[in-house]
């Protein structure tokens, strides 16, 4: 038994890169990766959101959560269009994603764990089935280099001969009525609870700058204040 365990350990050391790429990742084309918040961010109200799946999944879901609106404020009048295809998403649920699983008390394990944005008004859409279409790398450059991974930044295409097989899909997001949106990707168990989800270091967010901030940005004086951190909670 001891020799068997040693053999397994040596095998793992020999192929560390096989286990370094997350099952699911998110990326915003034209966005910036914030090393402090560990989030892809943008100040645009229309952008391309990439969902990257490392492996084959029957169905992947993406939640969209609204920042800065409390439950007491009531359901917000926010409209989100996906791939410029009506109808827009205008119905919002308060609580924790996923939308098909809502225990009375959030236990941090059955639904999406708190990470700044939740509980929040949110909805979700299906990204569909993912297959092992091509080589998938790590979309976060720093963590890719640290793990010795090939760095694949969408939409640069699949990595030829990559060890991590999966698929990526692009969704054009446009929204109005919200100052901030936050995105998470996950798969579900048969009871509707979270199965796999994109690590919080691979999520995405968008925030519209305040008018005064936008003016300063236009003058080239305050580019750093455009994106607010969705602080991760322990």
């Amino acid at each position: 038994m001891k020799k068997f365990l040693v053999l397994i350990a040596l095998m793992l050391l020999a192929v560390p890169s096989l286990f370094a790429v997350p099952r699911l990742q998110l990326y915003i084309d034209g966005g910036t990766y914030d090393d402090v918040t560990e989030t892809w961010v943008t100040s645009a109200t229309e952008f391309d959101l990439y969902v990257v799946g490392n492996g084959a999944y029957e169905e992947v879901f993406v939640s969209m959560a609204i920042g800065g609106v409390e439950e007491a404020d009531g359901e917000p009048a926010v409209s989100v269009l996906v791939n410029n295809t009506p109808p827009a998403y205008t119905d919002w649920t308060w609580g924790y994603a996923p939308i098909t699983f809502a225990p009375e008390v959030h236990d941090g394990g059955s639904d999406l764990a708190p990470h700044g944005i939740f509980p929040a008004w949110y909805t979700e859409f299906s990204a569909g089935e993912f297959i092992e279409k091509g080589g998938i790398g790590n979309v976060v450059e720093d963590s890719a280099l640290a793990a010795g991974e090939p760095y694949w930044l969408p939409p640069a295409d699949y990595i030829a001969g990559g060890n991590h097989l999966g698929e990526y899909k692009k969704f054009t997001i446009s929204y109005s009525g919200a100052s901030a949106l936050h995105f998470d990707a996950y798969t579900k168990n048969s009871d509707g609870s979270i199965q796999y989800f994109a690590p919080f270091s691979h999520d995405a967010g968008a925030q519209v700058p305040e008018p005064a901030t936008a003016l300063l940005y236009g003058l080239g004086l305050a580019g750093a204040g455009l994106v607010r951190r969705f602080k991760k909670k322990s």
Side-chain angles (χ1 to χ4, degrees):
M1 182 65 179
K2 184 176 180 181
K3 291 183 178 179
F4 175 76
L5 292 176
V6 171
L7 178 61
I8 294 297
L10 289 174
M11 290 173 63
L12 292 175
L13 290 173
V15 287
S17 64
L18 291 177
F19 304 94
V21 171
R23 292 179 180 270
L24 295 169
Q25 304 178 71
L26 292 173
Y27 167 75
I28 292 178
D29 192 13
T32 302
Y33 186 75
D34 188 319
D35 292 314
V36 176
T37 64
E38 297 184 317
T39 303
W40 287 102
V41 292
T42 182
S43 59
T45 56
E46 181 171 335
F47 51 88
D48 289 333
L49 176 74
Y50 283 79
V51 183
V52 184
N54 174 19
Y57 303 103
E58 186 174 313
E59 189 170 20
V60 175
F61 296 88
V62 177
S63 65
M64 304 182 288
I66 301 171
V69 182
E70 300 298 329
E71 182 178 17
D73 298 330
E75 184 177 358
V78 174
S79 177
V80 179
L81 202 60
V82 178
N83 286 338
N84 296 313
T85 304
Y89 290 83
T90 57
D91 295 326
W92 304 88
T93 299
W94 175 263
Y96 301 86
I99 209 163
T100 56
F101 187 81
E104 292 183 5
V105 178
H106 171 70
D107 61 14
S110 299
D111 46 17
L112 202 60
H115 55 289
I117 195 70
F118 290 103
W121 291 101
Y122 75 96
T123 189
E124 68 182 9
F125 67 87
S126 172
E129 179 185 9
F130 279 63
I131 62 174
E132 294 181 338
K133 189 173 183 179
I136 293 295
N138 198 323
V139 302
V140 180
E141 184 173 16
D142 289 344
S143 57
L145 294 174
E149 285 292 333
Y151 174 39
W152 175 72
L153 184 66
D157 215 337
Y158 297 97
I159 298 175
N163 290 325
H164 313 280
L165 294 178
E167 183 178 7
Y168 71 88
K169 297 183 181 182
K170 180 182 75 173
F171 297 91
T172 300
I173 306 294
S174 57
Y175 69 99
S176 61
S179 61
L181 286 179
H182 184 81
F183 300 88
D184 288 283
Y186 44 83
T187 61
K188 299 180 184 181
N189 295 306
S190 57
D191 65 355
S193 60
I194 291 287
Q195 182 186 29
Y196 306 122
F197 64 92
F200 302 148
S201 58
H202 288 77
D203 55 12
Q207 178 169 347
V208 178
E210 297 295 330
T213 304
L215 177 60
L216 289 174
Y217 176 75
L219 294 173
L221 298 177
L226 293 176
V227 182
R228 177 177 63 87
R229 176 182 181 182
F230 290 107
K231 185 177 180 182
K232 310 294 187 293
K233 295 181 179 178
S234 58

